[in-house]
Amino acid sequence: MQEIMYDVSSLLIALLLLLSMLLAIEIGYRVGLRIMPTVRDDFKAHVNATSASLVGILALLLGFTFSLSLQRYDSRSEAVVDEANAIGTAYLRAQLLAEPHRGHSLALLREYLDLRVQTGNVDLTERARRHALIAEAGRMQARLWEYARQANAVAPSPVTTGLFIPALNEMIDNFGKRDAEMNRHVPEFVLLLLYATFLMTGAIVGYATGLSGHRASFVTHIMVGLIVVLVFIILDLDRPHRGLIQVSQDSLTGLQAAIRGQAGANPAE
């Protein structure tokens, strides 16, 4: 099922949440103020206790959702490092191959690394462009595997192709792992449940203040603001290539710079 919230700006969602909570508090306040003369003190105490319980449930959901988004962010970061290490290992072991497979493999690995760096800078909402880059990476992997097969057919050796083929296989595995991690995010159902809990909590808090005969305090609005900021951080962590918090590509770009420097020092490669 296509999720719609993932394509919406995190800032826009946070602003809508802020306005929704303020509106829910205001509606709850007006309803509570209207029926205040007709209710007893024990009913007001019951509403206050319910309001406190809902705030606790909201805190629990916020903590759970933040943990989910942080785990996915960490997994994406580790996947980038693992792929960079795998590409670097394959590049080093490709240097053991005999010509012409050595030159072909090294040149294609440099192109492959450039492509993976480019892919890491594409937002997941740019689906057509991202799918084209992933398809091109698949074609490059097939060509690299063909070079490895040809090199092994010509001169099989545990020191040359015996090292390069496992490294190439690991590189391909890490490609799939990273791509899968980039597509994992907090389920939209969890975000919708969180949003519904926000609205119910805001309405009950406003209702309780209406029964008390006064509007929500400044402290309540500070709490609302902090909740909205936390939701924005959760959404930002869950969107790896946009927003303020992005998955670092330093391991891939550092490897890219090192390989370019090596290739410049050894033009024969």
Side-chain angles (χ1 to χ4, degrees):
M1 183 179 65
Q2 180 66 44
E3 296 183 344
I4 58 174
M5 289 184 64
Y6 191 79
D7 293 346
V8 181
S9 167
S10 304
L11 182 59
L12 178 59
I13 293 177
L15 289 175
L16 290 175
L17 175 62
L18 176 62
L19 294 176
S20 298
M21 287 197 71
L22 293 177
L23 181 61
I25 290 174
E26 180 64 22
I27 293 174
Y29 164 75
R30 291 180 180 274
V31 172
L33 189 64
R34 179 172 299 179
I35 68 170
M36 179 185 64
T38 64
V39 299
R40 299 180 303 180
D41 289 342
D42 57 344
F43 179 77
K44 295 179 182 179
H46 172 70
V47 172
N48 288 329
T50 303
S51 174
S53 299
L54 276 176
V55 171
I57 293 173
L58 178 59
L60 181 64
L61 282 174
L62 278 171
F64 171 72
T65 310
F66 181 79
S67 177
L68 280 179
S69 62
L70 190 59
Q71 287 173 9
R72 281 156 174 73
Y73 175 82
D74 289 340
S75 296
R76 295 186 192 107
S77 300
E78 291 175 2
V80 173
V81 175
D82 290 343
E83 184 174 30
N85 290 337
I87 295 174
T89 300
Y91 189 84
L92 289 174
R93 294 183 178 179
Q95 297 175 13
L96 301 174
L97 300 176
E99 293 293 353
H101 304 105
R102 176 175 179 271
H104 293 330
S105 297
L106 291 174
L108 190 53
L109 280 169
R110 286 193 292 269
E111 293 179 22
Y112 180 79
L113 176 58
D114 292 342
L115 183 69
R116 294 305 288 159
V117 172
Q118 183 183 357
T119 304
N121 295 321
V122 175
D123 191 345
L124 268 66
T125 58
E126 300 178 47
R127 294 180 178 85
R129 183 183 175 195
R130 185 171 179 82
H131 288 166
L133 292 173
I134 290 174
E136 179 61 24
R139 287 188 288 269
M140 288 185 177
Q141 290 170 5
R143 289 168 58 193
L144 283 167
W145 193 259
E146 180 61 20
Y147 289 149
R149 189 195 64 78
Q150 292 174 5
N152 187 66
V154 173
S157 169
V159 180
T160 55
T161 55
L163 291 176
F164 177 63
I165 291 176
L168 183 59
N169 185 68
E170 183 178 358
M171 186 191 80
I172 295 173
D173 289 345
N174 278 282
F175 161 83
K177 176 184 176 183
R178 181 187 173 199
D179 188 51
E181 291 293 348
M182 291 299 171
N183 287 298
R184 292 177 63 230
H185 50 271
V186 177
E188 190 168 83
F189 176 78
V190 175
L191 296 177
L192 292 174
L193 176 62
L194 193 60
Y195 180 69
T197 306
F198 286 147
L199 295 185
M200 287 188 290
T201 303
I204 295 299
V205 168
Y207 184 66
T209 58
L211 291 178
S212 301
H214 60 79
R215 289 186 176 274
S217 66
F218 179 68
V219 175
T220 301
H221 289 91
I222 291 179
M223 180 190 71
V224 171
L226 289 175
I227 289 172
V228 171
V229 170
L230 183 55
V231 170
F232 175 77
I233 293 174
I234 289 172
L235 295 174
D236 211 48
L237 282 170
D238 203 39
R239 288 132 192 248
H241 298 315
R242 52 187 164 137
L244 301 178
I245 307 173
Q246 299 189 15
V247 174
S248 174
Q249 307 291 317
D250 289 348
S251 54
L252 281 173
T253 55
L255 176 63
Q256 184 183 46
I259 287 179
R260 284 177 177 175
Q262 181 181 347
N266 301 282
E269 297 183 358

PDB file of all heavy atoms in Angstrom, residues 129-164:
ATOM      1  N   ARG A 129      13.892   8.445 -10.761  1.00  0.00           N
ATOM      2  CA  ARG A 129      15.341   8.639 -10.848  1.00  0.00           C
ATOM      3  C   ARG A 129      16.085   7.602 -10.020  1.00  0.00           C
ATOM      4  O   ARG A 129      17.090   7.041 -10.455  1.00  0.00           O
ATOM      5  CB  ARG A 129      15.702  10.045 -10.383  1.00  0.00           C
ATOM      6  CG  ARG A 129      17.186  10.383 -10.510  1.00  0.00           C
ATOM      7  CD  ARG A 129      17.480  11.756  -9.954  1.00  0.00           C
ATOM      8  NE  ARG A 129      18.907  12.049  -9.966  1.00  0.00           N
ATOM      9  CZ  ARG A 129      19.467  13.048  -9.290  1.00  0.00           C
ATOM     10  NH1 ARG A 129      18.703  13.853  -8.559  1.00  0.00           N
ATOM     11  NH2 ARG A 129      20.767  13.235  -9.347  1.00  0.00           N
ATOM     12  N   ARG A 130      15.568   7.327  -8.824  1.00  0.00           N
ATOM     13  CA  ARG A 130      16.229   6.365  -7.955  1.00  0.00           C
ATOM     14  C   ARG A 130      16.178   4.953  -8.559  1.00  0.00           C
ATOM     15  O   ARG A 130      17.172   4.221  -8.520  1.00  0.00           O
ATOM     16  CB  ARG A 130      15.573   6.381  -6.568  1.00  0.00           C
ATOM     17  CG  ARG A 130      16.284   5.499  -5.557  1.00  0.00           C
ATOM     18  CD  ARG A 130      15.736   5.706  -4.163  1.00  0.00           C
ATOM     19  NE  ARG A 130      16.429   4.839  -3.233  1.00  0.00           N
ATOM     20  CZ  ARG A 130      17.599   5.110  -2.685  1.00  0.00           C
ATOM     21  NH1 ARG A 130      18.207   6.245  -2.986  1.00  0.00           N
ATOM     22  NH2 ARG A 130      18.171   4.273  -1.848  1.00  0.00           N
ATOM     23  N   HIS A 131      15.054   4.575  -9.101  1.00  0.00           N
ATOM     24  CA  HIS A 131      14.937   3.251  -9.716  1.00  0.00           C
ATOM     25  C   HIS A 131      15.880   3.115 -10.908  1.00  0.00           C
ATOM     26  O   HIS A 131      16.459   2.041 -11.133  1.00  0.00           O
ATOM     27  CB  HIS A 131      13.498   3.005 -10.158  1.00  0.00           C
ATOM     28  CG  HIS A 131      12.556   2.775  -9.007  1.00  0.00           C
ATOM     29  ND1 HIS A 131      11.179   2.812  -9.147  1.00  0.00           N
ATOM     30  CD2 HIS A 131      12.796   2.511  -7.704  1.00  0.00           C
ATOM     31  CE1 HIS A 131      10.615   2.587  -7.974  1.00  0.00           C
ATOM     32  NE2 HIS A 131      11.574   2.404  -7.083  1.00  0.00           N
ATOM     33  N   ALA A 132      16.052   4.200 -11.676  1.00  0.00           N
ATOM     34  CA  ALA A 132      16.970   4.162 -12.814  1.00  0.00           C
ATOM     35  C   ALA A 132      18.412   3.962 -12.345  1.00  0.00           C
ATOM     36  O   ALA A 132      19.173   3.183 -12.939  1.00  0.00           O
ATOM     37  CB  ALA A 132      16.847   5.451 -13.621  1.00  0.00           C
ATOM     38  N   LEU A 133      18.796   4.641 -11.262  1.00  0.00           N
ATOM     39  CA  LEU A 133      20.161   4.501 -10.733  1.00  0.00           C
ATOM     40  C   LEU A 133      20.389   3.094 -10.175  1.00  0.00           C
ATOM     41  O   LEU A 133      21.467   2.511 -10.360  1.00  0.00           O
ATOM     42  CB  LEU A 133      20.409   5.548  -9.647  1.00  0.00           C
ATOM     43  CG  LEU A 133      20.466   7.007 -10.129  1.00  0.00           C
ATOM     44  CD1 LEU A 133      20.539   7.955  -8.927  1.00  0.00           C
ATOM     45  CD2 LEU A 133      21.671   7.223 -11.037  1.00  0.00           C
ATOM     46  N   ILE A 134      19.385   2.554  -9.496  1.00  0.00           N
ATOM     47  CA  ILE A 134      19.520   1.202  -8.944  1.00  0.00           C
ATOM     48  C   ILE A 134      19.606   0.171 -10.066  1.00  0.00           C
ATOM     49  O   ILE A 134      20.389  -0.788  -9.999  1.00  0.00           O
ATOM     50  CB  ILE A 134      18.338   0.905  -8.001  1.00  0.00           C
ATOM     51  CG1 ILE A 134      18.459   1.761  -6.732  1.00  0.00           C
ATOM     52  CG2 ILE A 134      18.291  -0.573  -7.636  1.00  0.00           C
ATOM     53  CD1 ILE A 134      17.282   1.650  -5.797  1.00  0.00           C
ATOM     54  N   ALA A 135      18.819   0.379 -11.132  1.00  0.00           N
ATOM     55  CA  ALA A 135      18.886  -0.543 -12.269  1.00  0.00           C
ATOM     56  C   ALA A 135      20.257  -0.486 -12.935  1.00  0.00           C
ATOM     57  O   ALA A 135      20.815  -1.520 -13.327  1.00  0.00           O
ATOM     58  CB  ALA A 135      17.788  -0.197 -13.271  1.00  0.00           C
ATOM     59  N   GLU A 136      20.819   0.709 -13.047  1.00  0.00           N
ATOM     60  CA  GLU A 136      22.146   0.846 -13.630  1.00  0.00           C
ATOM     61  C   GLU A 136      23.197   0.166 -12.761  1.00  0.00           C
ATOM     62  O   GLU A 136      24.128  -0.473 -13.271  1.00  0.00           O
ATOM     63  CB  GLU A 136      22.487   2.328 -13.799  1.00  0.00           C
ATOM     64  CG  GLU A 136      23.867   2.611 -14.379  1.00  0.00           C
ATOM     65  CD  GLU A 136      24.065   2.038 -15.772  1.00  0.00           C
ATOM     66  OE1 GLU A 136      23.062   1.820 -16.480  1.00  0.00           O
ATOM     67  OE2 GLU A 136      25.226   1.797 -16.155  1.00  0.00           O
ATOM     68  N   ALA A 137      23.050   0.278 -11.436  1.00  0.00           N
ATOM     69  CA  ALA A 137      23.975  -0.412 -10.531  1.00  0.00           C
ATOM     70  C   ALA A 137      23.885  -1.928 -10.721  1.00  0.00           C
ATOM     71  O   ALA A 137      24.908  -2.628 -10.699  1.00  0.00           O
ATOM     72  CB  ALA A 137      23.658  -0.043  -9.080  1.00  0.00           C
ATOM     73  N   GLY A 138      22.685  -2.432 -10.930  1.00  0.00           N
ATOM     74  CA  GLY A 138      22.515  -3.865 -11.175  1.00  0.00           C
ATOM     75  C   GLY A 138      23.220  -4.313 -12.445  1.00  0.00           C
ATOM     76  O   GLY A 138      23.830  -5.394 -12.482  1.00  0.00           O
ATOM     77  N   ARG A 139      23.147  -3.475 -13.476  1.00  0.00           N
ATOM     78  CA  ARG A 139      23.827  -3.821 -14.726  1.00  0.00           C
ATOM     79  C   ARG A 139      25.349  -3.817 -14.539  1.00  0.00           C
ATOM     80  O   ARG A 139      26.060  -4.673 -15.087  1.00  0.00           O
ATOM     81  CB  ARG A 139      23.412  -2.846 -15.831  1.00  0.00           C
ATOM     82  CG  ARG A 139      21.982  -3.061 -16.332  1.00  0.00           C
ATOM     83  CD  ARG A 139      21.690  -2.220 -17.551  1.00  0.00           C
ATOM     84  NE  ARG A 139      21.559  -0.807 -17.226  1.00  0.00           N
ATOM     85  CZ  ARG A 139      20.407  -0.224 -16.909  1.00  0.00           C
ATOM     86  NH1 ARG A 139      19.291  -0.937 -16.860  1.00  0.00           N
ATOM     87  NH2 ARG A 139      20.353   1.064 -16.634  1.00  0.00           N
ATOM     88  N   MET A 140      25.846  -2.872 -13.771  1.00  0.00           N
ATOM     89  CA  MET A 140      27.285  -2.834 -13.498  1.00  0.00           C
ATOM     90  C   MET A 140      27.722  -4.062 -12.700  1.00  0.00           C
ATOM     91  O   MET A 140      28.795  -4.632 -12.950  1.00  0.00           O
ATOM     92  CB  MET A 140      27.650  -1.559 -12.728  1.00  0.00           C
ATOM     93  CG  MET A 140      27.599  -0.293 -13.546  1.00  0.00           C
ATOM     94  SD  MET A 140      28.184   1.125 -12.585  1.00  0.00           S
ATOM     95  CE  MET A 140      28.100   2.424 -13.819  1.00  0.00           C
ATOM     96  N   GLN A 141      26.917  -4.474 -11.752  1.00  0.00           N
ATOM     97  CA  GLN A 141      27.238  -5.677 -10.981  1.00  0.00           C
ATOM     98  C   GLN A 141      27.317  -6.901 -11.892  1.00  0.00           C
ATOM     99  O   GLN A 141      28.207  -7.745 -11.738  1.00  0.00           O
ATOM    100  CB  GLN A 141      26.186  -5.888  -9.893  1.00  0.00           C
ATOM    101  CG  GLN A 141      26.226  -4.868  -8.778  1.00  0.00           C
ATOM    102  CD  GLN A 141      25.027  -4.962  -7.870  1.00  0.00           C
ATOM    103  OE1 GLN A 141      24.184  -5.852  -8.011  1.00  0.00           O
ATOM    104  NE2 GLN A 141      24.925  -4.044  -6.924  1.00  0.00           N
ATOM    105  N   ALA A 142      26.401  -6.991 -12.847  1.00  0.00           N
ATOM    106  CA  ALA A 142      26.414  -8.124 -13.774  1.00  0.00           C
ATOM    107  C   ALA A 142      27.680  -8.126 -14.625  1.00  0.00           C
ATOM    108  O   ALA A 142      28.282  -9.187 -14.878  1.00  0.00           O
ATOM    109  CB  ALA A 142      25.170  -8.077 -14.665  1.00  0.00           C
ATOM    110  N   ARG A 143      28.111  -6.940 -15.046  1.00  0.00           N
ATOM    111  CA  ARG A 143      29.341  -6.847 -15.845  1.00  0.00           C
ATOM    112  C   ARG A 143      30.559  -7.211 -14.999  1.00  0.00           C
ATOM    113  O   ARG A 143      31.465  -7.911 -15.479  1.00  0.00           O
ATOM    114  CB  ARG A 143      29.482  -5.436 -16.411  1.00  0.00           C
ATOM    115  CG  ARG A 143      28.483  -5.104 -17.520  1.00  0.00           C
ATOM    116  CD  ARG A 143      28.476  -3.623 -17.840  1.00  0.00           C
ATOM    117  NE  ARG A 143      29.801  -3.157 -18.252  1.00  0.00           N
ATOM    118  CZ  ARG A 143      30.125  -1.862 -18.348  1.00  0.00           C
ATOM    119  NH1 ARG A 143      29.224  -0.928 -18.040  1.00  0.00           N
ATOM    120  NH2 ARG A 143      31.319  -1.508 -18.734  1.00  0.00           N
ATOM    121  N   LEU A 144      30.585  -6.740 -13.755  1.00  0.00           N
ATOM    122  CA  LEU A 144      31.702  -7.092 -12.872  1.00  0.00           C
ATOM    123  C   LEU A 144      31.750  -8.598 -12.631  1.00  0.00           C
ATOM    124  O   LEU A 144      32.836  -9.198 -12.603  1.00  0.00           O
ATOM    125  CB  LEU A 144      31.564  -6.346 -11.538  1.00  0.00           C
ATOM    126  CG  LEU A 144      31.962  -4.872 -11.546  1.00  0.00           C
ATOM    127  CD1 LEU A 144      31.472  -4.175 -10.273  1.00  0.00           C
ATOM    128  CD2 LEU A 144      33.482  -4.727 -11.668  1.00  0.00           C
ATOM    129  N   TRP A 145      30.585  -9.193 -12.441  1.00  0.00           N
ATOM    130  CA  TRP A 145      30.548 -10.644 -12.220  1.00  0.00           C
ATOM    131  C   TRP A 145      31.028 -11.398 -13.465  1.00  0.00           C
ATOM    132  O   TRP A 145      31.701 -12.424 -13.354  1.00  0.00           O
ATOM    133  CB  TRP A 145      29.136 -11.072 -11.847  1.00  0.00           C
ATOM    134  CG  TRP A 145      29.090 -12.476 -11.310  1.00  0.00           C
ATOM    135  CD1 TRP A 145      28.705 -13.597 -11.978  1.00  0.00           C
ATOM    136  CD2 TRP A 145      29.489 -12.892 -10.011  1.00  0.00           C
ATOM    137  NE1 TRP A 145      28.817 -14.696 -11.168  1.00  0.00           N
ATOM    138  CE2 TRP A 145      29.303 -14.292  -9.945  1.00  0.00           C
ATOM    139  CE3 TRP A 145      29.959 -12.220  -8.883  1.00  0.00           C
ATOM    140  CZ2 TRP A 145      29.583 -15.038  -8.815  1.00  0.00           C
ATOM    141  CZ3 TRP A 145      30.245 -12.952  -7.746  1.00  0.00           C
ATOM    142  CH2 TRP A 145      30.057 -14.350  -7.714  1.00  0.00           C
ATOM    143  N   GLU A 146      30.701 -10.861 -14.640  1.00  0.00           N
ATOM    144  CA  GLU A 146      31.164 -11.489 -15.879  1.00  0.00           C
ATOM    145  C   GLU A 146      32.689 -11.383 -16.003  1.00  0.00           C
ATOM    146  O   GLU A 146      33.351 -12.351 -16.435  1.00  0.00           O
ATOM    147  CB  GLU A 146      30.484 -10.830 -17.080  1.00  0.00           C
ATOM    148  CG  GLU A 146      30.890 -11.394 -18.434  1.00  0.00           C
ATOM    149  CD  GLU A 146      30.555 -12.862 -18.599  1.00  0.00           C
ATOM    150  OE1 GLU A 146      29.687 -13.374 -17.848  1.00  0.00           O
ATOM    151  OE2 GLU A 146      31.165 -13.518 -19.473  1.00  0.00           O
ATOM    152  N   TYR A 147      33.257 -10.238 -15.621  1.00  0.00           N
ATOM    153  CA  TYR A 147      34.712 -10.103 -15.620  1.00  0.00           C
ATOM    154  C   TYR A 147      35.344 -11.119 -14.667  1.00  0.00           C
ATOM    155  O   TYR A 147      36.375 -11.735 -14.986  1.00  0.00           O
ATOM    156  CB  TYR A 147      35.127  -8.695 -15.208  1.00  0.00           C
ATOM    157  CG  TYR A 147      34.828  -7.622 -16.221  1.00  0.00           C
ATOM    158  CD1 TYR A 147      34.544  -6.316 -15.825  1.00  0.00           C
ATOM    159  CD2 TYR A 147      34.841  -7.898 -17.584  1.00  0.00           C
ATOM    160  CE1 TYR A 147      34.272  -5.322 -16.744  1.00  0.00           C
ATOM    161  CE2 TYR A 147      34.564  -6.905 -18.520  1.00  0.00           C
ATOM    162  CZ  TYR A 147      34.279  -5.619 -18.094  1.00  0.00           C
ATOM    163  OH  TYR A 147      34.004  -4.634 -19.009  1.00  0.00           O
ATOM    164  N   ALA A 148      34.736 -11.273 -13.492  1.00  0.00           N
ATOM    165  CA  ALA A 148      35.261 -12.234 -12.518  1.00  0.00           C
ATOM    166  C   ALA A 148      35.176 -13.655 -13.068  1.00  0.00           C
ATOM    167  O   ALA A 148      36.111 -14.458 -12.890  1.00  0.00           O
ATOM    168  CB  ALA A 148      34.490 -12.119 -11.207  1.00  0.00           C
ATOM    169  N   ARG A 149      34.079 -13.982 -13.726  1.00  0.00           N
ATOM    170  CA  ARG A 149      33.929 -15.324 -14.302  1.00  0.00           C
ATOM    171  C   ARG A 149      34.970 -15.581 -15.390  1.00  0.00           C
ATOM    172  O   ARG A 149      35.587 -16.655 -15.448  1.00  0.00           O
ATOM    173  CB  ARG A 149      32.520 -15.479 -14.869  1.00  0.00           C
ATOM    174  CG  ARG A 149      32.170 -16.900 -15.305  1.00  0.00           C
ATOM    175  CD  ARG A 149      30.930 -16.919 -16.168  1.00  0.00           C
ATOM    176  NE  ARG A 149      31.134 -16.215 -17.419  1.00  0.00           N
ATOM    177  CZ  ARG A 149      31.785 -16.721 -18.468  1.00  0.00           C
ATOM    178  NH1 ARG A 149      32.329 -17.945 -18.401  1.00  0.00           N
ATOM    179  NH2 ARG A 149      31.924 -16.015 -19.574  1.00  0.00           N
ATOM    180  N   GLN A 150      35.172 -14.567 -16.246  1.00  0.00           N
ATOM    181  CA  GLN A 150      36.159 -14.716 -17.311  1.00  0.00           C
ATOM    182  C   GLN A 150      37.572 -14.860 -16.751  1.00  0.00           C
ATOM    183  O   GLN A 150      38.360 -15.689 -17.233  1.00  0.00           O
ATOM    184  CB  GLN A 150      36.093 -13.511 -18.258  1.00  0.00           C
ATOM    185  CG  GLN A 150      34.817 -13.431 -19.067  1.00  0.00           C
ATOM    186  CD  GLN A 150      34.733 -12.166 -19.880  1.00  0.00           C
ATOM    187  OE1 GLN A 150      35.673 -11.362 -19.917  1.00  0.00           O
ATOM    188  NE2 GLN A 150      33.595 -11.962 -20.556  1.00  0.00           N
ATOM    189  N   ALA A 151      37.890 -14.036 -15.729  1.00  0.00           N
ATOM    190  CA  ALA A 151      39.225 -14.119 -15.126  1.00  0.00           C
ATOM    191  C   ALA A 151      39.443 -15.477 -14.478  1.00  0.00           C
ATOM    192  O   ALA A 151      40.536 -16.053 -14.556  1.00  0.00           O
ATOM    193  CB  ALA A 151      39.397 -13.003 -14.089  1.00  0.00           C
ATOM    194  N   ASN A 152      38.411 -16.010 -13.843  1.00  0.00           N
ATOM    195  CA  ASN A 152      38.539 -17.320 -13.202  1.00  0.00           C
ATOM    196  C   ASN A 152      38.662 -18.433 -14.238  1.00  0.00           C
ATOM    197  O   ASN A 152      39.369 -19.436 -14.014  1.00  0.00           O
ATOM    198  CB  ASN A 152      37.324 -17.568 -12.316  1.00  0.00           C
ATOM    199  CG  ASN A 152      37.460 -18.838 -11.490  1.00  0.00           C
ATOM    200  OD1 ASN A 152      38.318 -18.925 -10.624  1.00  0.00           O
ATOM    201  ND2 ASN A 152      36.615 -19.813 -11.764  1.00  0.00           N
ATOM    202  N   ALA A 153      38.007 -18.278 -15.390  1.00  0.00           N
ATOM    203  CA  ALA A 153      38.104 -19.292 -16.437  1.00  0.00           C
ATOM    204  C   ALA A 153      39.491 -19.308 -17.063  1.00  0.00           C
ATOM    205  O   ALA A 153      40.014 -20.365 -17.427  1.00  0.00           O
ATOM    206  CB  ALA A 153      37.044 -19.030 -17.507  1.00  0.00           C
ATOM    207  N   VAL A 154      40.116 -18.129 -17.181  1.00  0.00           N
ATOM    208  CA  VAL A 154      41.436 -18.034 -17.798  1.00  0.00           C
ATOM    209  C   VAL A 154      42.531 -18.478 -16.839  1.00  0.00           C
ATOM    210  O   VAL A 154      43.433 -19.246 -17.205  1.00  0.00           O
ATOM    211  CB  VAL A 154      41.696 -16.594 -18.281  1.00  0.00           C
ATOM    212  CG1 VAL A 154      43.140 -16.438 -18.762  1.00  0.00           C
ATOM    213  CG2 VAL A 154      40.720 -16.232 -19.399  1.00  0.00           C
ATOM    214  N   ALA A 155      42.466 -17.980 -15.609  1.00  0.00           N
ATOM    215  CA  ALA A 155      43.544 -18.277 -14.652  1.00  0.00           C
ATOM    216  C   ALA A 155      42.960 -18.438 -13.252  1.00  0.00           C
ATOM    217  O   ALA A 155      43.068 -17.537 -12.413  1.00  0.00           O
ATOM    218  CB  ALA A 155      44.592 -17.164 -14.665  1.00  0.00           C
ATOM    219  N   PRO A 156      42.329 -19.572 -12.955  1.00  0.00           N
ATOM    220  CA  PRO A 156      41.774 -19.783 -11.611  1.00  0.00           C
ATOM    221  C   PRO A 156      42.881 -19.893 -10.572  1.00  0.00           C
ATOM    222  O   PRO A 156      43.867 -20.608 -10.775  1.00  0.00           O
ATOM    223  CB  PRO A 156      41.001 -21.092 -11.750  1.00  0.00           C
ATOM    224  CG  PRO A 156      41.645 -21.797 -12.895  1.00  0.00           C
ATOM    225  CD  PRO A 156      42.108 -20.739 -13.845  1.00  0.00           C
ATOM    226  N   SER A 157      42.715 -19.142  -9.476  1.00  0.00           N
ATOM    227  CA  SER A 157      43.739 -19.164  -8.425  1.00  0.00           C
ATOM    228  C   SER A 157      43.101 -18.710  -7.119  1.00  0.00           C
ATOM    229  O   SER A 157      42.324 -17.748  -7.108  1.00  0.00           O
ATOM    230  CB  SER A 157      44.899 -18.234  -8.783  1.00  0.00           C
ATOM    231  OG  SER A 157      45.758 -18.066  -7.662  1.00  0.00           O
ATOM    232  N   PRO A 158      43.410 -19.362  -6.004  1.00  0.00           N
ATOM    233  CA  PRO A 158      42.861 -18.925  -4.709  1.00  0.00           C
ATOM    234  C   PRO A 158      43.396 -17.567  -4.270  1.00  0.00           C
ATOM    235  O   PRO A 158      42.814 -16.932  -3.389  1.00  0.00           O
ATOM    236  CB  PRO A 158      43.294 -20.041  -3.753  1.00  0.00           C
ATOM    237  CG  PRO A 158      44.491 -20.655  -4.395  1.00  0.00           C
ATOM    238  CD  PRO A 158      44.259 -20.564  -5.869  1.00  0.00           C
ATOM    239  N   VAL A 159      44.496 -17.110  -4.866  1.00  0.00           N
ATOM    240  CA  VAL A 159      45.099 -15.841  -4.469  1.00  0.00           C
ATOM    241  C   VAL A 159      44.547 -14.678  -5.287  1.00  0.00           C
ATOM    242  O   VAL A 159      44.531 -13.538  -4.827  1.00  0.00           O
ATOM    243  CB  VAL A 159      46.635 -15.914  -4.619  1.00  0.00           C
ATOM    244  CG1 VAL A 159      47.278 -14.582  -4.213  1.00  0.00           C
ATOM    245  CG2 VAL A 159      47.192 -17.048  -3.790  1.00  0.00           C
ATOM    246  N   THR A 160      44.061 -14.912  -6.470  1.00  0.00           N
ATOM    247  CA  THR A 160      43.560 -13.827  -7.323  1.00  0.00           C
ATOM    248  C   THR A 160      42.030 -13.854  -7.369  1.00  0.00           C
ATOM    249  O   THR A 160      41.363 -13.151  -6.613  1.00  0.00           O
ATOM    250  CB  THR A 160      44.150 -13.961  -8.737  1.00  0.00           C
ATOM    251  OG1 THR A 160      43.856 -15.271  -9.244  1.00  0.00           O
ATOM    252  CG2 THR A 160      45.660 -13.763  -8.705  1.00  0.00           C
ATOM    253  N   THR A 161      41.482 -14.670  -8.267  1.00  0.00           N
ATOM    254  CA  THR A 161      40.023 -14.747  -8.356  1.00  0.00           C
ATOM    255  C   THR A 161      39.405 -15.335  -7.096  1.00  0.00           C
ATOM    256  O   THR A 161      38.257 -15.027  -6.754  1.00  0.00           O
ATOM    257  CB  THR A 161      39.610 -15.602  -9.569  1.00  0.00           C
ATOM    258  OG1 THR A 161      40.241 -16.891  -9.466  1.00  0.00           O
ATOM    259  CG2 THR A 161      40.038 -14.934 -10.861  1.00  0.00           C
ATOM    260  N   GLY A 162      40.171 -16.163  -6.388  1.00  0.00           N
ATOM    261  CA  GLY A 162      39.658 -16.747  -5.145  1.00  0.00           C
ATOM    262  C   GLY A 162      39.418 -15.709  -4.068  1.00  0.00           C
ATOM    263  O   GLY A 162      38.625 -15.936  -3.146  1.00  0.00           O
ATOM    264  N   LEU A 163      40.094 -14.563  -4.150  1.00  0.00           N
ATOM    265  CA  LEU A 163      39.862 -13.459  -3.220  1.00  0.00           C
ATOM    266  C   LEU A 163      38.883 -12.431  -3.794  1.00  0.00           C
ATOM    267  O   LEU A 163      38.080 -11.851  -3.067  1.00  0.00           O
ATOM    268  CB  LEU A 163      41.187 -12.767  -2.881  1.00  0.00           C
ATOM    269  CG  LEU A 163      42.182 -13.570  -2.044  1.00  0.00           C
ATOM    270  CD1 LEU A 163      43.474 -12.791  -1.873  1.00  0.00           C
ATOM    271  CD2 LEU A 163      41.589 -13.913  -0.680  1.00  0.00           C
ATOM    272  N   PHE A 164      38.967 -12.210  -5.101  1.00  0.00           N
ATOM    273  CA  PHE A 164      38.128 -11.177  -5.713  1.00  0.00           C
ATOM    274  C   PHE A 164      36.653 -11.575  -5.747  1.00  0.00           C
ATOM    275  O   PHE A 164      35.775 -10.752  -5.457  1.00  0.00           O
ATOM    276  CB  PHE A 164      38.621 -10.894  -7.136  1.00  0.00           C
ATOM    277  CG  PHE A 164      37.778  -9.902  -7.881  1.00  0.00           C
ATOM    278  CD1 PHE A 164      37.663  -8.590  -7.435  1.00  0.00           C
ATOM    279  CD2 PHE A 164      37.079 -10.276  -9.025  1.00  0.00           C
ATOM    280  CE1 PHE A 164      36.881  -7.669  -8.120  1.00  0.00           C
ATOM    281  CE2 PHE A 164      36.291  -9.362  -9.711  1.00  0.00           C
ATOM    282  CZ  PHE A 164      36.204  -8.062  -9.254  1.00  0.00           C
TER     283      PHE A 164
END
